[in-house]
């Protein structure tokens, strides 16, 4: 099989996912097509050589529906020969799109492909596509369905993670994100988003609060207490009877923000890269996905990491840098606890608690971020992973070239 190389990675800044956010008037199509245009222009790319564009979208309805990947290909002025499709693996959709694009290259089906994702959460709200799992008793009852926030609070309760722990993690996420912008760590990958007149609407992540402190976070009320008292605490306690009660510790201040954004990663074989005069930045060593217990839902990153590292003949210590999406602070703290990963090796540039989580795009965003950081810090290997609704995990390992 061929090797799959990363030749470039770009993302938009993340804009606040509300009507007063800077990207609210920018459609998902425009976000996605601007990413594709940047990949083309930065690499002087003959787009007829791009066989496929794979995009993650978690709410694939309305403006984000009807195969937005193919529509973005056309809107970006790519060759009509370039195909496109969208996929949905919930929060890991962007990373799964990268893994699918890489698999196409490794199998020889594609010489070059783009994996990425888009989510305009201010325009197409989370949950717009509905779904059977929370609403159909035949699925919800046997899997002990609860909302994700209750799952995150159960992780904290089960593994001894306190409110101070999650708030302290949040403070550090904001500090790291602010420092990364100050030190221009994102300059290589972030493109300015422009409107129809060509005016810049946003050129940096919009939700970072560098002055966040334990004191400011302490004033926020837990977000999921009411859901718990409505019956969901009782549901998840049936699944985990060893936990006396759910301690609700997650607030808007220590959970991922709702934002708009898009990302894309250019992947190709060695031969195609040489033919187009491109220099590889990293090799994709492998990817994996796994199912995990669906009620607690957000613990999948640990088993998928173990699965992928075993497949590659690697250990936790062989990875120089880790990226785990900060869906909720307890998710990252449990991952670090389970795999004995020091905080100075994970999410070193900050994460979604500070910068937000544009659902379909985040996986590709964090992979691009950790690639930039490998180059900046002169390190070799990185693993990116995300927790996923319904109890799953997806991961990817890359090695700098």
């Amino acid at each position: 099989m061929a090797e799959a190389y990363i030749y470039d990675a770009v993302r938009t800044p993340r804009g606040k996912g509300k009507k007063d956010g800077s990207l609210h008037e920018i459609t998902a199509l425009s976000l996605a097509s601007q990413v594709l245009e940047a990949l083309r222009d930065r690499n002087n790319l003959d787009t007829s050589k791009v066989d496929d564009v794979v995009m993650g979208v978690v709410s694939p309805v309305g403006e984000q529906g009807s195969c937005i990947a193919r529509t973005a290909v056309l809107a970006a002025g790519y060759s009509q020969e370039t195909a496109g499709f969208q996929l949905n693996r919930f929060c890991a959709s962007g990373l799964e799109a990268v893994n699918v694009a890489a698999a196409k290259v490794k199998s020889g089906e594609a010489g070059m492909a783009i994996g990425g994702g888009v989510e305009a959460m201010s325009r197409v709200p989370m949950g717009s596509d509905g779904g059977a799992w929370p609403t159909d008793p035949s699925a919800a009852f046997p899997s002990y369905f609860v909302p994700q926030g209750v799952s995150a609070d159960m992780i904290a309760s089960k593994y001894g993670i306190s409110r101070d722990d999650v708030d302290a993690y949040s403070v550090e996420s904001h500090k790291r994100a602010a420092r990364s912008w100050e030190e221009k760590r994102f300059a290589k990958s972030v493109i300015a988003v422009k409107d129809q007149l060509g005016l810049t609407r946003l050129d940096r992540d919009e939700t970072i609060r560098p002055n966040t402190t334990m004191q400011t976070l302490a004033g926020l009320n837990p977000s999921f207490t009411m859901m718990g008292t409505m019956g969901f605490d009782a549901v998840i306690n049936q699944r985990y009877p060893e936990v006396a009660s759910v301690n609700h510790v997650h607030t808007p201040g220590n959970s991922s923000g709702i934002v708009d954004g898009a990302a894309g990663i250019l992947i190709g074989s060695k031969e195609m890269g040489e033919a187009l005069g491109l220099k590889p930045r990293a090799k994709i060593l492998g990817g994996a996905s796994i199912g995990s217990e669906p009620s607690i839902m957000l613990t999948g990153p640990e088993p998928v990491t173990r699965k992928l590292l075993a497949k590659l003949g690697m250990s936790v210590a062989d990875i120089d840098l880790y990226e785990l999406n900060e869906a909720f602070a307890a998710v990252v703290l449990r991952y670090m606890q389970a795999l004995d990963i020091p905080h100075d090796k994970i999410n070193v540039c900050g994460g979604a608690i500070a910068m937000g989580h544009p659902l379909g795009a985040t996986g590709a965003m964090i992979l691009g971020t950790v690639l930039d950081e490998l180059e900046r810090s002169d390190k070799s290997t990185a693993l990116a992973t995300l927790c996923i609704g319904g109890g799953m995990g997806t991961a990817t390992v890359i090695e700098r070239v």
Side-chain angles (χ1 to χ4, degrees):
M1 295 182 71
E3 298 285 1
Y5 292 90
I6 296 175
Y7 288 97
D8 201 7
V10 302
R11 72 169 176 93
T12 69
R14 300 160 166 108
K16 184 169 61 173
K18 297 182 179 179
K19 290 184 178 180
D20 61 347
S22 296
L23 298 181
H24 175 61
E25 295 182 1
I26 310 296
T27 64
L29 174 60
S30 181
L31 293 173
S33 60
Q34 288 188 53
V35 163
L36 295 181
E37 289 167 3
L39 287 172
R40 176 195 62 205
D41 297 344
R42 286 158 54 116
N43 297 284
N44 194 26
L45 194 60
D46 177 357
T47 58
S48 69
K49 304 300 184 184
V50 179
D51 295 292
D52 213 347
V53 172
V54 191
M55 285 198 164
V57 188
V58 174
S59 294
V61 296
E63 297 175 353
Q64 292 181 169
S66 191
C67 195
I68 194 172
R70 171 60 174 171
T71 310
V73 163
L74 298 174
Y78 273 47
S79 167
Q80 68 177 16
E81 298 173 8
T82 302
F85 77 97
Q86 64 192 39
L87 58 78
N88 181 4
R89 198 187 288 280
F90 295 147
C91 294
S93 298
L95 192 61
E96 186 65 42
V98 171
N99 287 348
V100 169
K104 283 176 171 283
V105 170
K106 288 184 177 185
S107 70
E109 179 181 340
M112 182 155 285
I114 293 170
V118 63
E119 207 83 28
M121 299 180 75
S122 70
R123 299 176 64 89
V124 184
M126 181 169 50
S128 296
D129 56 335
W133 186 35
T135 59
D136 189 330
S138 68
F141 285 7
S143 61
Y144 298 92
F145 169 80
V146 298
Q148 275 196 5
V150 176
S151 300
D153 286 338
M154 175 52 86
I155 290 173
S157 304
K158 181 173 173 61
Y159 295 106
I161 297 168
S162 69
R163 172 68 184 268
D164 281 350
D165 293 334
V166 292
D167 281 353
Y169 184 87
S170 173
V171 170
E172 184 64 17
S173 179
H174 283 280
K175 286 182 178 178
R176 292 183 179 193
R179 182 176 67 243
S180 294
W181 273 106
E182 290 169 4
E183 296 177 356
K184 295 181 170 48
R185 296 191 187 188
F186 301 133
K188 190 170 186 175
S189 297
V190 174
I191 61 168
V193 174
K194 299 185 177 181
D195 61 19
Q196 291 179 321
L197 299 177
L199 302 176
T200 295
R201 299 301 295 267
L202 189 65
D203 61 5
R204 63 182 292 129
D205 298 313
E206 192 169 28
T207 60
I208 302 170
R209 300 185 302 277
N211 296 324
T212 298
T213 65
M214 294 291 286
Q215 289 71 32
T216 59
L217 293 178
L220 299 175
N221 293 323
S223 299
F224 308 105
T225 303
M226 183 176 292
M227 290 182 180
T229 59
M230 289 169 58
F232 287 115
D233 280 1
V235 171
I236 202 165
N237 270 132
Q238 291 179 61
R239 182 63 184 84
Y240 295 95
E242 70 275 17
V243 179
S245 62
V246 179
N247 182 21
H248 292 283
V249 300
H250 287 96
T251 72
N254 53 45
S255 308
S256 57
I258 293 172
V259 293
D260 304 330
I265 294 183
L266 182 64
I267 302 163
S269 65
K270 180 180 180 181
E271 293 75 18
M272 182 60 73
E274 290 175 347
L276 297 178
L278 301 176
K279 182 179 178 181
R281 296 174 60 188
K283 180 165 65 173
I284 297 178
L285 297 185
S289 291
I290 201 170
S292 60
E293 199 284 302
S295 187
I296 206 167
M297 194 182 313
L298 306 173
T299 56
E302 177 196 344
V304 80
T305 294
R306 295 187 188 279
K307 175 182 178 178
L308 180 54
L309 291 178
K311 184 173 78 168
L312 297 175
M314 301 176 74
S315 70
V316 171
D318 291 327
I319 302 298
D320 296 317
L321 293 174
Y322 288 86
E323 281 284 327
L324 169 56
N325 181 40
E326 296 174 353
F328 301 91
V331 171
V332 187
L333 291 170
R334 171 55 192 162
Y335 183 75
M336 293 162 61
Q337 180 189 82
L339 296 176
D340 194 23
I341 297 171
H343 200 176
D344 61 2
K345 290 184 68 172
I346 187 167
N347 297 354
V348 297
C349 295
I353 289 173
M355 294 178 284
H357 175 24
L359 304 178
T362 305
M365 285 186 171
I366 66 173
L367 190 65
T369 294
V370 81
L371 172 57
D372 285 346
E373 188 61 18
L374 282 179
E375 294 172 340
R376 188 197 70 83
S377 60
D378 195 26
K379 291 183 169 63
S380 178
T381 58
L383 184 147
T385 184
L386 302 92
C387 60
I388 308 173
M392 293 184 284
T394 293
T396 305
V397 171
I398 61 173
E399 181 180 61
R400 225 178 110 214
V401 175

